Amino acid sequence: MKRVLVATEKPFAAAAVKGIKEVLDNAKYETVLLEKYTDKADLLKAVANADAIIIRSDKVDAEVLDAAKNLKIVVRAGAGYDNVDLEAANKHNVCVMNTPGQNSNAVAELVFGMLVFAVRNRFNGKAGSELKDKKIGILAFGNVGRNVARIAKGFGMEVLAYDAFVPAESIKEMGFTPVASVAELFEKSDIVSLHAPATPETRKSINYELVGKMPKGGIIVNTARKEIIDEEGILKAMMEREDIRYATDIMPDNHAEMTEKLGDRYFSTPKKMGAQTAEANSNAGLAAANQIVAYFEKGDERFRVNK
Ligand code: NAD
């Protein structure tokens, strides 16, 4: 019988755990729960006889992989998987997957929550502006970016998009306007919504020059990763351009300085909120359980991230 460890420092909602267990029960797998653990030793003990692990933001490093002698697969319930040591997983022949797309709608809805909050002057009673007929530029047209585009259409916005790997032709076929570069996206968009992953190419790529290219009254909204922001550069640009606003779901390291210097033009959620919905929580957990069953029963490696 396969043993699937659900190791979550921050547990799934009870309904999600129930759903995961049902999927695994149906496959005649055993579900082992390790929730709210505070000591890594507990995780090391629990992985010892697991065939598969479902995690959230939990760290699966070389030490954990060394301790997991039977382990074949780790599934990160969520999009980002920088909490798993892929090199060590390769050494141990362990398949690593994420569950892309399961929280994208949640993140995309938050983008619009943050945007309405910004354009309505944080609900301070003074006249703000509308999103209709504004141009929104979507940087990286993946799962979240496409959901932002879908919702933006409902707001009556014009959608521009750039993705380093999605061809312009595909963006056009989906009914949106491709642009040729990140710089062009910033030049042409009233609002730029960031959805690129943190990679060596994107690290600190949202910088002084790009922000300076925005049209008057430009807004940047970040629900991606803080690593892609050049925090000093963005602050410098916003000190020079008093019309630019910045809203982020990933609190920057210089949050205090941003708050002090930019006042109401800057906003950060206190904690990353993008994927924090009951639906996303449950979707990702269920997808993880289904992917594990499909992997063992059919050799399905579609969502493998360590090729
Ligand atoms: P995804 O993998 O579906 O899409 C990412 C897209 O980025 C892909 O289309 C890819 O081609 C593109 N891309 C990669 N490198 C690029 C580059 N250098 N320039 C332009 N485009 C590039 O991922 P997703 O699910 O859409 O997630 C997007 C981002 O949102 C990720 O950074 C993820 O970590 C973050 N995220 C945040 C939250 C939150 O709670 N705020 C939740 C989920 C995801």
Side-chain angles (χ1 to χ4, degrees), residues 79-80 103 107 139-145 162-166 195-198 201-202 223-225 249-250 272-275:
N103 54 19
V107 180
L139 176 53
F141 215 56
N143 285 295
V144 179
Y162 173 78
D163 191 294
F165 302 100
V166 178
H195 304 290
E201 292 76 40
T202 60
T223 55
R225 282 281 186 263
D249 185 36
I250 304 95
K272 200 153 72 110
M273 291 293 299

Side-chain angles (χ1 to χ4, degrees), residues 1 34 55 61 68 86 134 247 283 289:
M1 186 188 240
L34 175 69
I55 52 166
D61 58 14
L86 296 186
K134 300 291 187 302
N283 292 347

Side-chain angles (χ1 to χ4, degrees), residues 119-121 126-130:
V119 296
R120 293 302 183 96
N121 299 324
K126 295 194 181 130
S129 59
E130 299 179 22

Side-chain angles (χ1 to χ4, degrees), residues 230-262:
D230 172 356
E231 292 177 357
E232 278 169 21
I234 210 173
L235 177 61
K236 181 167 179 255
M238 287 180 71
M239 297 289 288
E240 291 174 14
R241 287 277 307 272
E242 291 194 355
D243 56 310
I244 302 283
R245 284 175 283 179
Y246 178 46
T248 178
D249 185 36
I250 304 95
M251 191 177 277
D253 294 334
N254 64 349
H255 170 70
E257 191 185 5
M258 292 266 226
T259 307
E260 186 201 322
K261 295 193 171 150
L262 302 173

Side-chain angles (χ1 to χ4, degrees), residues 43-45 47-49 62-70 92:
L43 178 60
L44 294 174
K45 205 168 135 204
V47 295
N49 58 3
E63 196 185 356
V64 174
L65 289 157
D66 280 340
K69 300 289 179 225
N70 299 340
H92 287 270

Side-chain angles (χ1 to χ4, degrees), residues 183 186 205-214 230 233-234 236-237:
F186 274 77
S205 64
I206 307 306
N207 56 21
Y208 173 81
E209 282 78 23
L210 281 179
V211 177
K213 288 182 190 296
M214 289 198 84
D230 172 356
I234 210 173
K236 181 167 179 255

Side-chain angles (χ1 to χ4, degrees), residues 11-219:
F12 289 108
V17 175
K18 191 165 166 263
I20 290 170
K21 198 168 173 313
E22 267 167 27
V23 171
L24 299 175
D25 283 353
N26 283 340
K28 310 238 173 325
Y29 295 2
E30 185 186 351
T31 308
V32 182
L33 278 183
L34 175 69
E35 295 183 322
K36 294 187 188 166
Y37 59 93
T38 48
D39 194 343
K40 190 177 181 186
D42 294 337
L43 178 60
L44 294 174
K45 205 168 135 204
V47 295
N49 58 3
D51 299 286
I53 322 179
I54 297 175
I55 52 166
R56 299 185 74 200
S57 297
D58 308 75
K59 283 207 168 54
V60 172
D61 58 14
E63 196 185 356
V64 174
L65 289 157
D66 280 340
K69 300 289 179 225
N70 299 340
L71 192 66
K72 304 284 179 306
I73 174 167
V74 177
V75 183
R76 148 72 160 134
Y81 46 87
D82 41 7
N83 48 325
V84 182
D85 184 335
L86 296 186
E87 222 170 278
N90 283 339
K91 266 191 213 144
H92 287 270
N93 256 326
V94 169
C95 170
V96 181
M97 294 185 185
N98 64 350
T99 61
Q102 301 298 330
N103 54 19
S104 328
N105 181 65
V107 180
E109 286 189 13
L110 184 74
V111 168
F112 288 90
M114 289 165 71
L115 281 177
V116 171
F117 184 60
V119 296
R120 293 302 183 96
N121 299 324
R122 303 169 161 238
F123 310 143
N124 71 355
K126 295 194 181 130
S129 59
E130 299 179 22
L131 294 175
K132 184 166 179 285
D133 295 332
K134 300 291 187 302
K135 289 194 179 83
I136 184 165
I138 300 178
L139 176 53
F141 215 56
N143 285 295
V144 179
R146 289 170 204 206
N147 274 285
V148 170
R150 170 181 56 80
I151 300 171
K153 242 168 116 179
F155 271 91
M157 303 179 83
E158 187 179 330
V159 178
L160 312 179
Y162 173 78
D163 191 294
F165 302 100
V166 178
E169 210 40 53
S170 311
I171 294 175
K172 225 188 254 172
E173 276 165 19
M174 288 182 250
F176 306 107
T177 306
V179 297
S181 66
V182 181
E184 190 183 343
L185 195 74
F186 274 77
E187 268 164 29
K188 292 190 170 162
S189 308
D190 302 302
I191 293 161
V192 173
S193 192
L194 306 174
H195 304 290
T199 66
E201 292 76 40
T202 60
R203 229 185 109 74
K204 288 188 190 268
S205 64
I206 307 306
N207 56 21
Y208 173 81
E209 282 78 23
L210 281 179
V211 177
K213 288 182 190 296
M214 289 198 84
K216 194 166 165 27
I219 301 177

